[in-house]
Amino acid sequence: MLEEVERWLSTRSWSATDRPLHQILAAKQRSGQTVSVVLPALNEEETVGDIAAVIRHDLMRQVPLVDELVVVDSGSTDRTSEVAAAAGATVVHRDEILPGIPAVPGKGEVLWRSLLVTRGDIVCFVDADLRDFSSDFVSGIVGPLLTDPDIALVKGMYDRPLGGAAGQGGRVTELMARPLLNMHWPQLAGFVQPLGGEYAARRSLLEQLPFPVGYGVELGMLVDALHLVGLDALAQVDVGVRKHRHQDGQALGRMAAAIYRTAQLRLARGHLIRPSLTQFERGGDGFEPRTYSVDTEERPPMVEIAEYQARRAA
């Protein structure tokens, strides 16, 4: 590990308990900064309501840490929107944001569009499939941004159990993202959960970043933020244990392909000869191929979008 990373781990890696809530609130009052929390959601009726309710109760009613809680529904066919609204979240449908730019499927697309329907100086993203959710995921991650003006982006780190085994979740992280980062961007080797969906950043940074539309958004954001603001402006906070729905192996393969594509673009901005991935499933006549396209599109920095510029000027 680079000496720079060892130093970073000792100075930019914290626990949620390192910043008590009263300290974070006092810093928020002094700075006048506002905080938006965004939950990207697709068919998450089982969990999105509980997450929204905890944030509303702990961080909006009991203490005024979060100013805005927005669920962006990316086309759910279940009751995600109704459950989220009943829990007190503002619900916005992906296709209603920037209607002049047709939406494409993907998590990164939703996060990118969320910048236009939120106003917080700090934007905190939380996946909507978490179980046994604790508001420490939000307060712990936004804490460094409110107390330290030199910090621009904070990732959550946590244990990810799989089938009762501690630390066995995050398979794409261990098999794809971590090797890529260690080999090509060794300054980012200290991140425990580089692909984690719980992180917060200053709007002033997010609006300058391109957003891969799919699963590559987290890796792309880390790499681009490193180049834009430097390692010392990045940090991570231990928020305990993350429990969520795990995907099957083939879905993880498609995720890994999108992440590799994101890395490839940043390594050389080169041309991918065949942006697709073929996987195999056993059918009645043996193994049958299934070919999927790999996310290749990226959205430009939001600050370049005319509608966003108009909102800032208003």
Side-chain angles (χ1 to χ4, degrees):
M1 183 178 290
L2 298 176
E3 289 185 11
E4 180 183 8
V5 176
E6 292 182 355
R7 178 192 55 77
W8 179 86
L9 280 168
S10 66
T11 60
R12 289 292 186 264
S13 293
W14 299 292
S15 167
T17 58
D18 290 338
R19 289 174 176 81
L21 192 54
H22 68 84
Q23 179 184 346
I24 298 172
L25 285 169
K28 181 177 188 288
Q29 289 181 326
R30 286 194 304 270
S31 67
Q33 297 177 95
T34 54
V35 176
S36 297
V37 176
V38 173
L39 277 63
L42 177 63
N43 294 328
E44 304 293 359
E45 67 175 1
E46 294 184 5
T47 50
V48 68
D50 290 339
I51 297 171
V54 169
I55 295 172
R56 284 277 299 174
H57 177 268
D58 292 1
L59 303 179
M60 299 180 79
R61 291 177 180 155
Q62 285 198 331
V63 298
L65 180 63
V66 173
D67 302 281
E68 187 177 39
L69 173 60
V70 177
V71 171
V72 182
D73 190 329
S74 58
S76 297
T77 56
D78 64 2
R79 298 182 61 252
T80 289
S81 290
E82 294 88 338
V83 170
T90 298
V91 178
V92 184
H93 292 272
R94 177 199 61 197
D95 296 350
E96 297 173 355
I97 309 169
L98 285 174
I101 302 177
V104 297
K107 178 183 179 183
E109 177 83 353
V110 174
L111 301 185
W112 181 71
R113 289 176 185 262
S114 76
L115 296 180
L116 198 65
V117 292
T118 55
R119 293 191 173 275
D121 302 306
I122 293 168
V123 182
C124 177
F125 299 118
V126 176
D127 281 351
D129 65 342
L130 303 189
R131 302 182 183 278
D132 301 330
F133 178 76
S134 165
S135 58
D136 286 347
F137 272 72
V138 174
S139 58
I141 293 167
V142 304
L145 291 161
L146 289 168
T147 58
D148 189 339
D150 294 329
I151 301 296
L153 183 148
V154 180
K155 296 281 294 190
M157 58 176 168
Y158 28 67
D159 294 315
R160 296 181 69 180
L162 175 64
Q168 294 304 304
R171 290 162 287 173
V172 176
T173 293
E174 300 305 329
L175 297 174
M176 176 60 72
R178 198 177 308 285
L180 280 172
L181 292 175
N182 275 264
M183 288 187 287
H184 298 296
W185 297 281
Q187 287 178 296
L188 298 174
F191 278 94
V192 175
Q193 297 291 352
L195 300 185
E198 290 67 49
Y199 51 97
R202 300 193 188 280
R203 176 176 295 273
S204 57
L205 171 62
L206 292 172
E207 65 186 13
Q208 297 182 70
L209 299 177
F211 276 62
V213 298
Y215 286 120
V217 63
E218 273 85 24
L219 182 132
M221 190 176 295
L222 262 188
V223 171
D224 294 340
L226 173 68
H227 292 159
L228 194 62
V229 297
L231 182 60
D232 279 344
L234 313 180
Q236 60 184 350
V237 172
D238 187 348
V239 291
V241 178
R242 184 187 197 267
K243 299 179 182 178
H244 65 113
R245 182 186 67 250
H246 291 281
Q247 301 192 57
D248 63 33
Q250 292 209 329
L252 296 178
R254 297 190 291 274
M255 183 185 300
I259 289 165
Y260 178 79
R261 168 59 169 170
T262 300
Q264 184 206 36
L265 284 173
R266 280 150 181 79
L267 284 169
R269 294 293 170 183
H271 174 62
L272 187 63
I273 301 301
R274 185 173 179 270
S276 60
L277 173 72
T278 298
Q279 299 177 317
F280 294 88
E281 298 177 8
R282 184 181 289 279
D285 297 321
F287 287 103
E288 300 175 356
R290 298 284 188 272
T291 299
Y292 302 87
S293 61
V294 175
D295 294 320
T296 59
E297 189 170 356
E298 295 197 6
R299 294 303 191 187
M302 183 58 78
V303 74
E304 298 177 7
I305 301 300
E307 292 89 337
Y308 190 76
Q309 294 173 5
R311 195 196 74 170
R312 293 179 70 190

